[in-house]
Amino acid sequence: FLEDHPQWGGYALLNENAGTGALHEFHRQRQVYFLKNVKRKYKQDTWEELSKKEPELLNDIPTFGRSISWDYDGEIENATAPVFGNTRVNKIRWLEKDIASPNEEEVDDDEEEKLEENIRSICGICMEPTRNANFCVGNAPHALCDECFCGYAGAQFEPTGAFEGERRQNITSGGSGAGDSADQVVVSERGHLPCYLFLTGECNCASIPATTLARVLSTDERVLDLYDQARRRIISADEERNRQEAARAQEESEARETPVDRLRRVVGEALSRGGRTKCPDCDVHVQKNDACMHMECPCGTRFCYCCGRRNGNGQGECPKNGGGCDSQTPFLESYPGWSAFDINGETPGMGALNEFHRLRMMYFLRQVKENCPAEDWEAL
């Protein structure tokens, strides 16, 4: 896991976990590294002209909230390839030769021997010797060339392939002996690509190593796209299953509720709804931390926090900087009657925002009260 490596655990931004933050920072540093090569190929005045013409070109790279300096602080000029563990810079496959480390090391005898072993390796499908052999990690080691590996993987990334469905195999002690009895049941779980011989019960490799998968798929864009599609289908299916399970659990919980329990839940929902505003695009409820009317959701949508509509001049949108909720000012506390709600050391802006939330809560509570029996309200 990237985030567990030294100095890679503190890059998470808003709504990111530590792993996603480390991954995005890894991408950002790779982008800086390749920009270094671009910068060296062009004249300095050309680079400076672009930086002045489009100063925001390197903002939000690779995600919202991250950026790359145009090299005013030497970030690009001094860029090095991000590495992890014992990986040496000159062994990183994606480096371009013209910007690779100047201190490339000689291939030692052991590595030369391994290279010769790869050349002699025979692909288990096409039966041809291959230099880039992809060895299985199961009980009967065998290899595939990149082309056959991609062909096999592409078929298994289809909706009916092994990647999206659990596969259980009785693996024999001898690996492939016809008369051997099965002595273990091995499971290949959803989201894992098993060895091609696993599907016939001849190998216990239920999951090809991620490093092997990443290296080989990088050589074939079509298969890599099939992999991405399969991953998205799995994620979508998992989300739908979780949604259905949550809905069933909610229904079961509601079926056991007393009228007062149900009212308590609805009141809590009204308070939560009043304390935040829903994004018009992704439907995520967000809450501001200042009193400006304008909001930018993590999904990138800009909208008015007061009315909940997108910023814009189209139909159903809230115009920004005139004609909308901010026709007089974008700050709540500057409107008449909204400047004296700060308590306990709050700024006028935070006081106005908190009062805005309190009034929204009361509005939704009124709807709850009007639609429930009076005795339940009094009991709660």
Side-chain angles (χ1 to χ4, degrees):
F1 298 100
L2 303 187
E3 69 273 21
D4 292 337
H5 280 264
Q7 301 179 354
W8 282 89
Y11 289 110
L13 300 183
L14 181 66
N15 295 328
E16 290 179 343
N17 56 42
T20 302
L23 178 63
H24 289 161
E25 176 61 19
F26 173 63
H27 290 156
R28 195 192 73 85
Q29 291 190 22
R30 277 171 49 102
Q31 291 171 322
V32 174
Y33 190 87
F34 289 122
L35 284 174
K36 172 183 178 181
N37 189 41
V38 174
K39 188 173 187 292
R40 287 180 174 180
K41 292 180 179 179
Y42 288 84
K43 295 180 179 179
Q44 180 65 22
D45 55 353
T46 304
W47 182 268
E48 292 177 354
E49 181 180 353
L50 178 61
S51 68
K52 293 176 182 178
K53 184 177 181 180
E54 297 189 49
E56 298 181 356
L57 184 62
L58 302 185
N59 290 344
D60 300 335
I61 300 292
T63 61
F64 177 76
R66 290 178 170 82
S67 63
I68 298 173
S69 168
W70 276 97
D71 217 19
Y72 302 120
D73 58 1
E75 181 180 30
I76 296 176
E77 190 65 32
N78 300 318
T80 58
V83 295
F84 301 87
N86 296 323
T87 301
R88 291 176 294 180
V89 171
N90 66 298
K91 300 300 179 184
I92 298 178
R93 189 169 185 268
W94 51 262
L95 293 186
E96 295 185 7
K97 293 182 179 180
D98 57 338
I99 55 173
S101 169
N103 299 318
E104 291 194 358
E105 303 175 20
E106 295 293 331
V107 178
D108 56 34
D109 293 338
D110 291 339
E111 290 175 326
E112 188 68 36
E113 182 177 344
K114 291 178 181 178
L115 181 60
E116 291 301 321
E117 179 183 348
N118 276 356
I119 295 176
R120 293 192 300 269
S121 298
I122 302 299
C123 173
I125 293 181
C126 68
M127 304 307 293
E128 294 290 338
T130 174
R131 178 182 294 270
N132 295 322
N134 303 290
F135 287 96
C136 170
V137 295
N139 56 349
H142 43 274
L144 289 181
C145 65
D146 285 355
E147 184 176 357
C148 290
F149 187 105
C150 287
Y152 162 71
Q156 302 309 317
F157 291 150
E158 296 291 344
T160 57
F163 187 72
E164 293 186 48
E166 181 180 283
R167 296 291 193 275
R168 304 175 67 87
Q169 292 291 0
N170 294 322
I171 307 299
T172 61
S173 59
S176 60
D180 292 338
S181 58
D183 60 358
Q184 62 174 319
V185 177
V186 182
V187 179
S188 176
E189 299 178 349
R190 294 170 66 249
H192 293 263
L193 181 67
C195 166
Y196 75 104
L197 289 181
F198 175 87
L199 301 181
T200 60
E202 300 176 68
C203 179
N204 68 347
C205 178
S207 178
I208 293 173
T211 52
T212 300
L213 195 61
R215 187 196 70 77
V216 183
L217 295 187
S218 67
T219 67
D220 192 319
E221 292 185 2
R222 184 191 68 85
V223 179
L224 181 59
D225 184 58
L226 290 175
Y227 170 74
D228 290 338
Q229 293 178 32
R231 288 289 302 162
R232 288 194 292 268
R233 287 194 298 267
I234 290 176
I235 293 172
S236 178
D238 289 344
E239 291 176 345
E240 177 61 21
R241 184 177 64 254
N242 292 338
R243 186 195 66 78
Q244 293 179 358
E245 291 177 354
R248 284 195 296 269
Q250 180 70 16
E251 291 176 358
E252 294 173 358
S253 176
E254 292 177 3
R256 296 190 297 268
E257 288 179 334
T258 66
V260 175
D261 289 336
R262 187 176 299 109
L263 178 59
R264 180 185 295 108
R265 174 174 54 80
V266 175
V267 166
E269 292 172 354
L271 294 174
S272 177
R273 185 180 178 188
R276 58 195 64 225
T277 296
K278 184 170 66 173
C279 171
D281 280 345
C282 70
D283 289 339
V284 171
H285 286 78
V286 293
Q287 184 180 58
K288 286 194 69 62
N289 58 4
D290 57 46
C292 175
M293 292 185 179
H294 305 298
M295 179 75 185
E296 181 166 351
C297 178
C299 76
T301 300
R302 298 176 184 272
F303 64 97
C304 175
Y305 193 72
C306 292
C307 69
R309 295 180 296 170
R310 295 184 191 85
N311 290 142
N313 296 315
Q315 184 177 2
E317 295 179 331
C318 183
K320 186 177 178 181
N321 299 325
C325 295
D326 66 347
S327 58
Q328 298 182 34
T329 172
F331 300 102
L332 300 182
E333 72 274 17
S334 298
Y335 273 82
W338 284 87
S339 61
F341 290 110
D342 49 300
I343 59 175
N344 299 327
E346 293 176 329
T347 63
M350 288 305 300
L353 179 63
N354 290 334
E355 178 63 13
F356 172 68
H357 289 154
R358 193 184 74 88
L359 294 178
R360 277 172 50 94
M361 293 177 184
M362 287 199 300
Y363 179 83
F364 292 123
L365 284 175
R366 188 189 79 179
Q367 295 177 345
V368 173
K369 185 178 180 182
E370 290 175 347
N371 289 281
C372 78
E375 58 270 22
D376 291 347
W377 184 268
E378 292 175 1
L380 180 60

